[in-house]
Amino acid sequence: MELLTSFCLCFLKTNPSARAGFMERLLREYIEESPEDEKVTQQIKDGNQVVANVKYSDVDYGKTRLVQRTPKEAAIEFHVSADKTVIRMPANDRVKTIYSKLKDKLDTKAKTEIPAIRIELGEFQSPALRTEFFTSLISDLKGFSLKNVTSVKVERLPQEREDDELDLEDDQEEEMAKEEALALVKNVALKGETLLASEEYQSLTRKGFFITSIIWRSVLNKAPQPMVEFEAAFEEPVQGKGFKYFVRGAYRIVELQYTKTIRPVSPEDKESYLGIIEETAAKVIRGLREKAQEEAEPQGAPA
């Protein structure tokens, strides 16, 4: 299972069909120039979705004397809509390198650097706001109701350490912070408690901890109401970079109760659910920016 990453390219107003055609021509050029260890093909889906399918080899030098090559496949998807183009791809270094080459060609042909909007938290130095990103993400998925949170990970923003502080204390604090974070998201997201009033929230924030990764289950609010399991995280948690996410699968209702075994979702459903995560994450970021700006504005003097 490999998590995905995505971002949005902001073009000047252009016809979506024309933009899709532009992407198609760009990929054809790249295919002709691609290195020998890459086999790239492309396909058009639904008129305005261009997909680059890449077959490549991962080199594992490992402990053996012989170089091990593992064949892999990946897809870089260009989802073209009226006002934006969303790029979606696996969150690994090899695919990112391939995309960087494509982006360079794209900028060269456009004769300008086309801005790429990414889901990042680096601008927020508040542990509280970073945690709120995840609590809002899992609570606000359009068309879904949160059912459960099964796992969280936490990190702490860099703090000055006293000379006599021990790593063991850090490990113990991190374990306690994980428990507090799990209780936090369950109380806030599932029980409707106020975030700011939560003891776990206050404790996490006071110690500088924030959530960096989460696995949760949400029920689709229409028949047949599958319970879908999602995952979201940041590759570089402290820097708040590399947002990645995945649809892990779904539990189905059989004889009035959910199955105990998770099953893959259909490609069509997966496409829809991934788009909902992307839209929700972007919306949450906008809301956090507004909140951070309000908190930073100086308060007027009392009358």
Side-chain angles (χ1 to χ4, degrees):
M1 183 192 73
E2 191 164 28
L3 275 70
L4 303 174
T5 187
S6 70
F7 45 90
C8 174
L9 294 181
C10 298
F11 289 82
L12 295 175
K13 290 184 178 179
T14 55
N15 181 279
S17 297
R19 232 182 307 142
F22 180 71
M23 293 292 182
E24 184 183 2
R25 293 190 297 274
L26 184 78
L27 281 175
R28 279 205 301 266
E29 285 188 18
Y30 181 81
I31 290 171
E32 294 175 0
E33 302 168 3
S34 58
E36 293 182 0
D37 64 340
E38 286 177 15
K39 180 176 176 59
V40 185
T41 58
Q42 67 163 309
Q43 63 182 124
I44 309 296
K45 293 183 178 180
D46 301 325
N48 290 338
Q49 182 181 340
V50 183
V51 181
N53 296 299
V54 185
K55 293 183 179 180
Y56 62 96
S57 297
D58 254 1
V59 179
D60 181 8
Y61 295 94
K63 297 181 180 179
T64 63
R65 293 182 180 180
L66 298 175
V67 174
Q68 303 292 318
R69 292 183 177 274
T70 305
K72 297 211 171 169
E73 295 186 30
I76 302 176
E77 303 175 359
F78 298 80
H79 298 260
V80 182
S81 62
D83 58 346
K84 62 186 177 183
T85 298
V86 174
I87 316 299
R88 187 185 298 155
M89 60 190 180
N92 70 58
D93 291 339
R94 180 61 182 267
V95 176
K96 289 178 185 176
T97 299
I98 295 171
Y99 170 73
S100 293
K101 295 177 183 177
L102 288 169
K103 179 64 163 58
D104 288 343
K105 290 181 70 68
L106 180 62
D107 290 343
T108 299
K109 286 194 168 295
K111 298 181 180 180
T112 185
E113 182 176 352
I114 299 172
I117 299 176
R118 304 173 187 268
I119 302 299
E120 295 183 343
L121 296 178
E123 65 191 272
F124 306 115
Q125 290 306 303
S126 161
L129 289 178
R130 291 189 178 204
T131 287
E132 190 171 341
F133 169 81
F134 284 98
T135 58
S136 296
L137 175 67
I138 66 177
S139 301
D140 298 342
L141 285 185
K142 185 177 181 181
F144 283 90
S145 296
L146 182 63
K147 183 68 174 178
N148 194 16
V149 179
T150 62
S151 175
V152 296
K153 293 181 181 179
V154 297
E155 289 276 353
R156 178 161 32 186
L157 286 175
Q159 296 178 329
E160 291 186 8
R161 295 169 56 96
E162 298 293 335
D163 292 338
D164 59 353
E165 283 186 320
L166 298 176
D167 290 340
L168 178 59
E169 293 176 353
D170 285 349
D171 292 341
Q172 291 173 341
E173 274 204 307
E174 184 170 339
E175 284 304 313
M176 290 179 61
K178 284 183 181 179
E179 294 177 9
E180 290 171 348
L182 190 57
L184 166 70
V185 293
K186 287 186 175 182
N187 289 340
V188 171
L190 296 175
K191 299 180 182 178
E193 294 184 5
T194 303
L195 183 67
L196 293 175
S198 166
E199 292 182 11
E200 294 86 5
Y201 174 84
Q202 298 294 345
S203 178
L204 283 173
T205 301
R206 189 165 54 248
K207 297 172 186 175
F209 282 101
F210 58 96
I211 295 174
T212 64
S213 174
I214 194 165
I215 298 174
W216 77 99
R217 296 170 185 169
S218 294
V219 174
L220 186 66
N221 295 333
K222 63 179 182 180
Q225 293 187 304
M227 181 167 61
V228 184
E229 187 166 281
F230 299 95
E231 181 174 354
F234 283 89
E235 287 183 87
E236 301 176 62
V238 175
Q239 291 76 22
K241 295 181 179 180
F243 180 61
K244 55 185 182 179
Y245 51 95
F246 196 70
V247 177
R248 297 168 63 91
Y251 298 86
R252 311 288 177 181
I253 295 178
V254 177
E255 296 181 352
L256 302 180
Q257 63 181 357
Y258 285 103
T259 58
K260 295 182 179 179
T261 305
I262 193 169
R263 302 288 185 186
V265 300
S266 69
E268 294 78 16
D269 287 341
K270 183 178 179 181
E271 177 79 20
S272 173
Y273 302 159
L274 291 173
I276 291 172
I277 293 179
E278 292 160 359
E279 291 176 8
T280 305
K283 181 180 178 181
V284 170
I285 288 288
R286 290 193 296 270
L288 291 180
R289 286 196 183 115
E290 293 174 1
K291 187 170 184 176
Q293 185 175 357
E294 290 174 0
E295 291 177 353
E297 289 176 355
Q299 301 295 318

